Each structure stands twice: as structure tokens, then as C-alpha cells.
Amino acid sequence: MKYRALGNTGLAVSEIGLGGEWLERCSAQEVTEVIKCCEDAGINILDCWMPNPEVRSNIGAAIAGHREKWIVQGHIGATWQNGQYVKTRELPVVKAAFEDMLVRFKTDYIDLGMIHYVDEVKELKTLFEGEYMNYVKELKAQGKIRHVGLSTHNPDVAKMAALSGQVAVIMFSINPAFDMMPPSEDINVYFNTMETGHLENIAPERRELYQICEREGVGLTVMKGYAGGRLLDAKASPFGKALTPVQCIHYALTRPAVASILVGYSEAAHVAAAVAYETASEAERDYTAVLASVSGVSASGQCTYCGHCAPCPEAIDIAMVNKLYDLAAMQDTVPASVKAHYKELSKNADDCIGCGGCEERCPFGVAVTDRMEKARALFG
């Protein structure tokens, strides 16, 4: 298992994590088995947004005695009322639900305290300016949460949060289908649009978000990496072709700022299918053939950081150079941190010999040698 820095938190998380939602369908014994499989595979980050007392207790029992092995991403504002999930900002209920999570997880802190499910810009502004955010800050001051995070499906909300200076981690829905849709405050729009098969180029709002998060040191954890399983089914996929778990994982992990993709598991086989990514070949990881062959979907001329341009005869990490170039090009002046990351590369655009082999392999027709020239000029 490989580990990645989670933004500027100082935490190192497994690049494949555990999204706990599917554990709701499991018995206590099955939850324990899944969590043990995850631990054996080196997975160390767990998301639990679910307020159901039973599943919280099952997870708490499964990690009891080795809580320190897990980076827990818990949600503030997901509550259990009258036997069902309710998202609320009503502080007495929010506080009770958070304290319940601590008790059932048998812990006195949550590593990542996520402001739960904010998909409207207006709501985010209200939360940031009100008592809700004061409560979140109080939890952090008390050590009950170590870092403040936020979960959203809306790139506009995520961008605002990333630029606020108040959020260290964002849980965001990332997959190749969602990335080709415009921003919306209604998550159902994404799934409904997928069903119609209407996709556009990679949405610039989402591309910009990933670059902003990397620039600001805000870590991204990924939800809905399989689009609720739709991308794994040719009949349900908007591409008309099925992607594999490994391909979906590779897509998410090649976005800037992404530290971990949180995959849902309800049995050991699901864990195995995800962690197979760690030993998969480049051919098995490659998702570009599916995206490039679908009518109506085009990323022509846009680098998606897929790495299909490799190998470079000069051993340049072309995808990384492109990431840093795009990040720097957004600014009036090149940020010192981005320039430092660029200079730390063992090989960069200065080493490009312009052979053009990368362009022949690029499925999206990116003018790589031209971008290398631009990167060379930009970074001096």
C-alpha cells in the first residue's frame, strides 16, 4: 500500500481507503471481517458519515484495541432521528450525534471532523458565519477533532471552502463521468445526467478546484469513485462501456491534491478488487481508451494527468510537470511552493528533447512538447 500526504495536515493516508457506507448492510461479524481485511492490506483511513447507532457500534467494536491504526473521518451534522438519517444544523442535535460517535467508536477524538454535506454556496456562507462553525472550532480547540474538513459534491462550494482558510480536508465526489458535468447544487443532477448519456468536456470548474486544493495544501478524499457502481456496469455507464475498479481508482488518484479514494466494501472480495490497484500494470490502470472512444465525450487537447504519455526517454514525469504547470499558470506570479516542487523533480521540462513520443501516445491529443516549452519558460 502506498501512502500520501493529506494536504497540510501532516497525516499520511493510504491512497485507497474505506468508505463506511456499505457497512450498514453488514452484520457485526462481517464488519469486523471487512475492517481486518482493510488493516491487512494497509488501509488506514476510514470515513463514517452514517449516524445509524448500530453501524457505529459495529465499527467501534471492530477497531477497538487498535484505534490508533486508523485515521477516522467523521461527520458533524449527520444525525439519527426517529430511526432514520437526518442532516441537520440544529446544534443540540448535532452535538448529541457527535458525542454519540465518540462513545460508539470508543475514542476521545476524531482525526478529521467533516462539516457534513454542504452542496449550496448560500448554506456554506451561513455555516461559516454562524454558531455552527463556532462549535466546530470549539471541537478542534478541545482536541475532539484534529482537523476541520467538509464534504460536498459541488465544485463551487469546494472551491470556496478551499480558499477560506478554515478547512484542511475536502471530501469530494470524483470520477470521470462527474468530471465531465457542470457544477450543480443538486447531486441528483449528476446521476440523472449520467443516465441520459449526455456528457461534455471535463468541466473547467472541477479542473480548477483540484489545482486550487493542491496550491492551498487542502487534501482531497474521494467519494463516489465508482459513481455508485454505475461505472462498473456497461448498461448503466454513460460511456456505454464498463470501467474496472482499478481504472476508476487510477482516475481519482491522478487528480491533483487527491490523497485517498474511499471505496465502499461489504465483503472481503470488494477490498481485494480495490487493493489490486497496488499491483496492477499500467495497461490495467489505463482508463483513457474508454473515455477517448465515446462519442460526445472529449478532452481533446487537455492533459488529464493520466500518465499515458510515459515512458519518457529522459525519465521526465510528464504528468507531474503538467500538473505543476497548470497550477502555476493560474497565478499572476508563480507561487514559491509550486516552483519549489517543480525544482525538486529529478527531471523537468528543461530536460525535454522534443522527441514527440509522448504526443503519439497521448489519447487526448495534448501538445506535450509545446507545454514543456511553456513550463520551461514559466518556471525559468
Side-chain angles (χ1 to χ4, degrees):
M1 179 62 64
K2 294 183 178 65
Y3 298 85
R4 299 185 176 201
L6 182 59
N8 291 336
T9 64
L11 298 173
V13 296
S14 54
E15 61 182 7
I16 299 171
L18 166 57
E21 182 174 6
W22 283 16
L23 297 178
E24 288 191 311
R25 66 186 72 175
C26 296
S27 67
Q29 180 179 345
E30 289 168 336
V31 170
T32 297
E33 290 172 355
V34 167
I35 287 190
K36 185 179 185 305
C37 283
C38 289
E39 289 184 349
D40 291 345
I43 291 172
N44 75 343
I45 179 170
L46 156 69
D47 177 79
C48 179
W49 70 264
M50 310 83 66
N52 185 314
E54 182 178 354
V55 71
R56 286 183 171 185
S57 292
N58 289 343
I59 294 172
I63 65 174
H66 38 103
R67 159 71 178 88
E68 72 284 352
K69 291 184 177 180
W70 287 94
I71 294 169
V72 176
Q73 181 172 279
H75 292 236
I76 306 167
T79 70
W80 191 252
Q81 300 181 39
N82 300 318
Q84 64 181 14
Y85 155 73
V86 177
K87 183 191 88 169
T88 184
R89 309 305 180 194
E90 187 180 346
L91 277 181
V93 183
V94 170
K95 291 179 178 181
F98 180 80
E99 295 297 330
D100 173 81
M101 178 163 48
L102 293 179
V103 170
R104 294 181 185 279
F105 272 40
K106 306 180 191 301
T107 187
D108 57 2
Y109 73 96
I110 298 297
D111 302 89
L112 310 172
M114 311 298 286
I115 300 171
H116 179 61
Y117 191 1
V118 186
D119 273 5
E120 297 181 3
V121 170
K122 180 180 179 181
E123 182 185 22
L124 182 64
K125 291 179 178 178
T126 300
L127 292 176
F128 274 176
E129 296 168 0
E131 291 300 313
Y132 186 95
M133 194 62 188
N134 290 339
Y135 168 62
V136 173
K137 291 177 179 178
E138 179 184 321
L139 290 175
K140 188 172 187 296
Q142 294 172 346
K144 290 186 175 182
I145 61 174
R146 299 293 169 82
H147 303 279
V148 177
L150 176 141
S151 65
T152 181
H153 306 91
N154 187 341
D156 292 336
V157 170
K159 176 182 174 181
M160 184 178 296
L163 292 172
S164 72
Q166 301 190 70
V167 171
V169 179
I170 295 173
M171 184 184 189
F172 190 62
S173 50
I174 299 177
N175 63 62
F178 283 10
D179 265 6
M180 293 180 180
M181 298 177 190
S184 172
E185 295 191 343
D186 183 357
I187 182 60
N188 292 318
V189 168
Y190 292 106
F191 288 113
N192 291 339
T193 304
M194 279 181 61
E195 290 170 5
T196 66
H198 178 70
L199 298 175
E200 303 295 344
N201 291 353
I202 295 175
E205 298 87 356
R206 299 173 76 89
R207 179 185 293 273
E208 182 186 22
L209 166 64
Y210 306 147
Q211 294 166 346
I212 287 172
C213 287
E214 186 153 304
R215 183 190 75 204
E216 299 295 323
V218 175
L220 287 174
T221 58
V222 175
M223 60 176 162
K224 297 182 174 64
Y226 301 168
R230 288 169 172 80
L231 293 180
L232 308 182
D233 182 348
K235 293 181 179 179
S237 169
F239 303 113
K241 298 180 180 179
L243 288 161
T244 66
V246 165
Q247 288 171 324
C248 292
I249 289 169
H250 191 56
Y251 182 88
L253 291 178
T254 49
R255 303 309 92 193
V258 167
S260 182
I261 175 171
L262 305 170
V263 183
Y265 317 116
S266 60
E267 57 185 72
H270 296 151
V271 181
V275 299
Y277 175 80
E278 297 299 317
T279 55
S281 67
E282 289 302 314
E284 290 169 326
R285 293 181 177 189
D286 180 31
Y287 56 80
T288 58
V290 174
L291 272 60
S293 66
V294 178
S295 176
V297 177
S298 174
S300 179
Q302 302 182 56
C303 178
T304 67
Y305 320 121
C306 66
H308 209 59
C309 47
C312 170
E314 296 300 307
I316 301 169
D317 186 341
I318 297 170
M320 181 56 69
V321 170
N322 275 323
K323 282 184 185 180
L324 295 174
Y325 170 75
D326 286 340
L327 190 62
M330 294 171 58
Q331 314 302 312
D332 294 331
T333 58
V334 180
S337 59
V338 176
K339 181 174 284 189
H341 288 313
Y342 178 80
K343 295 298 184 183
E344 288 170 3
L345 295 174
S346 59
K347 295 289 185 73
N348 58 37
D350 290 343
D351 299 291
C352 177
I353 60 175
C355 68
C358 49
E359 295 183 355
E360 294 176 5
R361 290 186 291 273
C362 178
F364 301 114
V366 175
V368 180
T369 54
D370 180 59
R371 286 174 66 87
M372 291 295 111
E373 288 291 338
K374 290 179 178 178
R376 180 182 294 129
L378 185 63
F379 288 109

